[in-house]
Structure formats: structure tokens, C-alpha cells
Amino acid sequence: MKKLFAIVLAFCAISCTQDNFNHVQEFENIVADLASPEFAGRSLYQDGELRAANYIVEKFNEFCTSDFVVKPFFQPFKYPLNTTRGDMFFAVDGKEYTAFKDYVIKEFSTGADRTMPIIYALEEKFYNPDSFASSIASLGAENAFVVLDYDKFHTLPSEGDRYFKYLKDLNLGGVIFKWSKMPNYFKARAFFTTPYPVVCVGPEFPADAREASVKFQNEFIEDYTANNVIAWVRGTSGSDSCYTFIAHYDHLGLMGIDNFCLGANDNASGTAALLTLAQYYSQPQNRPELDMMFMWVGGEEANLLGSKYYENNPIYPLENIKYLINLDMIGDTPDMLYYEGGPEADKGLELFMEINRAHGYFPNPHRGELVDNSDHYYFAMAGVPAMYFESKGEFYKYYHSPDDNLEHFTSESYKRIFEMVKEFIQKY
């Protein structure tokens, strides 16, 4: 028994020497930190995004101490940002609605303090792209809320942003978008404001409401400054090629003073995973052959602005990226592994799926069409072999809401993706 115990201790010692850290525990600790109220949802409020960027730098420097590591630095960029950070009130026929349960404010909405009648415009006739503006104008709703069908509105064609194209010049008291499900909160179109309030409600919104009251404030920041955080682990080969890992660390912040979106899954999970991968590869026994660039981008929730800025202002030539892996929302249960990539990513995606099948990590992988839903997109469009992973399970229903918190977070998918990435780097 003593001999067996000694062998076990020796094995543990070897294992600890090889990795020298408990990456799962580190991952969970980092997510817990970033998704805490201390970081205020990692957006403008209380400098939450900036403090998260500084936290990433501190953690990287704590984890990665080898002499072949390039310490993190900031790549700043600016963009306009509309915010709603004060008190918030919305009521229909005298019944007060609850934020996130009954409604959300659209991110481009201006503030207001008014009570107005409700006019419905849900019929198909209103959603002709050539006559939308004139049809809405015919309602005489300069001092009224107009209820629009969100799904029908989204059939209107637009070369750019349909909200900006169809809503910006309407002379209305306000808009209420009625969704076929409970609406999510976004920041993607906070680069402009409508001259009236825009509220989103779910399918339970009454069909015969008479009036609505809204009271909240907005502040439009012309030149909000965000940062990409970039660091390297230098490989042994001296090659110009590199692997790139990317994750966005920003989140939604708050909608009204009491409604914090803390973003445990989106995307404290991907942010933490990059830190533990950097820690792993910065250890001398795990030093990779090729360079590895780690990039934590800001402004993703504002429409992928950090990754777009880097793609336009690369520090490392895009053509030298052998493969880019984007980790976004990997803190859910492993019911399904959702992944995307451009045509140049196919070879790598096939290898990832071979690894997945061999180990049975995710029984239900699903490849989606390449769309602009996360930070791999602009790289893929520029011809970089770029892909991303997202785990979709029982917590996905909390996407972009205050319930994306530590109660609805797990490291199950992370553990599997971490091992998949390690094996991919060995074989690709």
C-alpha cells in the first residue's frame, strides 16, 4: 500500500510539473471575477470595460512569466456609443412593466418622459419597403406610440442598417416593437439615436392597449475609447506564421441603473479561456513551435468594432495567421457545439471534428453559416482561416440578459474545448 501511495504521489508530481496549474479552477476563478458587480458588466459604466482590460493584463503577467512571452499592450480605438444608465420606467394602461421581464429599451433609443396614446400598425400593408415611411406617417402619430411587428419589420430590405434606414426620419412620439418572443438587449446599433423612444416588448403585449408611459434618460458619447489587449507567446521555430486566439471581453453593462448584465457566459468564459491557454503555452515544457498571439478585443457588443479595427490596423500581418480560433460563449452546458468558419477554415474544422468524434466531447456539433455574429467574421472575410466555437445548452435562454450570471454558468464545455485546442495545435 505504501509503495502504491508513493507511485500515486509521483504521478501527481509529474502531472503538476507538466502543467503547473489547475486550468479549470483558474478558468472558473477568472469568470467569477469578470462576471462580478465589481466590473459593472464590462462596459462604459464605472469604467467597467477599462477595468476588465487592466485585469486581463494583470492576470496575463501573473500567469505568463517566461522570457519568451511578449507582455500585453493596448490597441485603443474610438466609437460613438449611446447609453441608458439612469432610472427607467415603462407602463401600459397604468400597469408598470418590469425591465428584462416585460420589455427592453432599444440601444439607439433617445430618452423621454411622456405619456401618449398607442396606435397599432401590425398589418402586412405597413411593411412595404417603398411605402413604409408614408404608411406610418399616414397614422398621424406625431404624439403617439406606434406598435410595429418586429418580425415583419425585419423583412424590410436594407443595404446597411434597416433600423437607421427606416426609423431615423419618422415623425413619431415613440415606437413599440412587438416581438414573437421576449426581446434581448443589445448594444450593436448604439452608434446613432432616434429622435423618439423605442421600446421592445414580447408576444404577451396586449392587442388593445390605449396608452403608454415611458421615463428614462440616455447619454450619447461621441468618442468612447475602448481597447484591444494583445500579447504573444513566442514559439521555438522563428517562423513568421502564428496561431491567433481571440475573445471579446466587453459586455452590455446596464440598461437602467438597476439592471446589470454581467455576462458570465458572454463572454467572461472566452476571456478566461484565452488566459488559461496563454498560461499553458507560456510554460517552457509546453512552449509551441509557432508564435501564438492572444487578443482580447473590446467593442464586440457594439458590432464587432474591436476586431474590425484590428483587421484594418493589424499589428501582425493577417497573411501570417496560420489559424485563428475565436472563443465566444463557452460557459454553457455541452448540449451542442456550434461552430462557424469561412472556406479557408475548412481543413482546420475537419480536424476539430475528427478530434471531437475521437473523444466524444460534444455529441451534437453543428456548423452554422458564416455571419457577422462574433469576432472571427472580419478575419474570415479577409481570407484568414478563422473559426469560432460556442456551446449551446440549457443556459442559452439567458443570452443578453441579467440572468447570464454565475448561477447559469458551467465549465463543462470549457474543459472539452481546452483539450480539443491542445490536440489541434499538436496536429494541424
Side-chain angles (χ1 to χ4, degrees):
M1 179 63 74
K2 289 182 179 179
K3 183 176 181 180
L4 176 60
F5 183 65
I7 291 172
V8 171
L9 283 178
F11 176 79
C12 291
I14 292 170
S15 299
C16 291
T17 301
Q18 286 176 340
D19 287 350
N20 199 29
F21 73 109
N22 182 338
H23 70 92
V24 176
Q25 187 62 59
E26 295 285 11
F27 171 77
E28 293 172 348
N29 291 344
I30 295 166
V31 171
D33 287 343
L34 290 172
S36 70
E38 178 186 353
F39 290 94
R42 306 188 303 280
S43 188
L44 176 66
Y45 185 68
Q46 295 181 348
D47 288 328
E49 186 174 354
L50 177 60
R51 287 190 288 117
N54 286 323
Y55 174 90
I56 291 166
V57 172
E58 292 170 6
K59 277 295 178 183
F60 186 96
N61 289 337
E62 174 190 335
F63 287 168
C64 307
T65 58
S66 298
D67 57 7
F68 53 86
V69 164
V70 177
K71 299 297 185 183
F73 57 92
F74 284 0
Q75 183 188 45
F77 59 97
K78 294 179 181 291
Y79 62 91
L81 179 63
N82 189 43
T83 66
T84 54
R85 295 177 283 175
D87 294 333
M88 188 160 290
F89 175 84
F90 179 62
V92 177
D93 290 338
K95 177 186 175 183
E96 183 175 354
Y97 278 32
T98 302
F100 283 102
K101 180 178 178 292
D102 302 315
Y103 77 97
V104 298
I105 297 295
K106 209 72 183 86
E107 68 268 31
F108 49 72
S109 177
T110 193
D113 182 1
R114 63 187 70 156
T115 297
M116 298 181 294
I118 291 174
I119 299 174
Y120 288 82
L122 301 176
E123 298 96 330
E124 196 72 44
K125 66 180 182 180
F126 289 103
Y127 299 90
N128 184 312
D130 298 323
S131 59
F132 177 80
S134 59
S135 295
I136 299 301
S138 70
L139 296 172
E142 294 85 357
N143 295 297
F145 282 105
V146 174
V147 180
L148 296 176
D149 185 304
Y150 178 83
D151 294 329
K152 291 184 177 127
F153 180 82
H154 265 251
T155 66
L156 297 174
S158 176
E159 302 78 26
D161 190 286
R162 65 173 52 82
Y163 290 110
F164 188 76
K165 178 177 180 179
Y166 292 103
L167 296 184
K168 66 182 178 67
D169 294 326
L170 295 181
N171 183 19
L172 302 176
V175 164
I176 298 173
F177 273 119
K178 186 173 182 178
W179 288 40
S180 57
K181 63 180 184 65
M182 181 56 210
N184 303 109
Y185 183 53
F186 292 96
K187 278 173 47 179
R189 292 167 182 84
F191 59 88
F192 72 99
T193 57
T194 48
Y196 46 80
V198 180
V199 182
C200 297
V201 297
E204 294 80 13
F205 188 80
D208 56 354
R210 298 183 302 276
E211 68 175 22
S213 302
V214 63
K215 183 177 182 180
F216 71 97
Q217 301 81 42
N218 78 301
E219 180 182 5
F220 190 80
I221 311 298
E222 291 284 354
D223 55 353
Y224 173 65
T225 299
N227 296 281
N228 295 330
V229 184
I230 302 169
W232 270 277
V233 173
R234 295 295 189 192
T236 58
S237 68
S239 170
D240 288 336
S241 294
C242 78
Y243 289 105
T244 297
F245 295 94
I246 187 170
H248 77 91
Y249 66 91
D250 66 306
H251 193 52
L252 300 172
L254 70 167
M255 185 193 79
I257 196 64
D258 297 321
N259 305 303
F260 280 91
C261 297
L262 299 176
N265 187 26
D266 184 16
N267 187 32
S269 62
T271 300
L274 259 63
L275 281 165
T276 58
L277 283 165
Q279 183 179 24
Y280 175 80
Y281 285 110
S282 70
Q283 295 180 359
Q285 66 273 20
N286 302 324
R287 186 178 181 183
E289 180 181 351
L290 298 182
D291 286 3
M292 289 186 170
M293 181 171 70
F294 293 88
M295 180 160 49
W296 296 266
V297 294
E300 191 270 355
E301 300 291 2
N303 220 8
L304 316 183
L305 295 185
S307 53
K308 182 178 182 180
Y309 184 85
Y310 183 90
E311 188 265 326
N312 289 327
N313 302 273
I315 293 168
Y316 199 98
L318 298 183
E319 59 269 22
N320 289 1
I321 298 177
K322 184 174 182 179
Y323 211 83
L324 180 145
I325 299 171
N326 174 25
L327 300 181
D328 191 354
M329 297 174 60
I330 60 169
D332 203 342
T333 55
D335 301 18
M336 181 179 81
L337 180 69
Y338 179 85
Y339 62 101
E340 286 179 18
E344 291 81 3
D346 284 352
K347 180 182 175 183
L349 288 174
E350 290 171 6
L351 177 55
F352 269 118
M353 291 306 102
E354 288 176 12
I355 294 169
N356 182 57
R357 284 191 296 270
H359 298 281
Y361 289 133
F362 293 90
N364 185 22
H366 173 74
R367 181 172 181 173
E369 179 184 356
L370 177 67
V371 291
D372 58 344
N373 56 358
S374 192
D375 291 301
H376 62 294
Y377 175 75
Y378 287 111
F379 292 92
M381 294 298 290
V384 174
M387 58 80 63
Y388 101 108
F389 284 136
E390 173 188 344
S391 59
K392 284 189 174 181
E394 62 179 284
F395 301 145
Y396 187 75
K397 59 188 174 184
Y398 303 120
Y399 170 70
H400 276 213
S401 80
D403 289 322
D404 178 8
N405 54 32
L406 293 176
E407 291 182 33
H408 307 121
F409 160 79
T410 175
S411 59
E412 288 180 74
S413 294
Y414 158 78
K415 289 184 282 188
R416 303 173 192 203
I417 290 174
F418 186 93
E419 296 303 321
M420 288 176 70
V421 168
K422 282 170 54 181
E423 188 169 345
F424 175 84
I425 297 298
Q426 292 169 0
K427 294 180 175 180
Y428 186 73

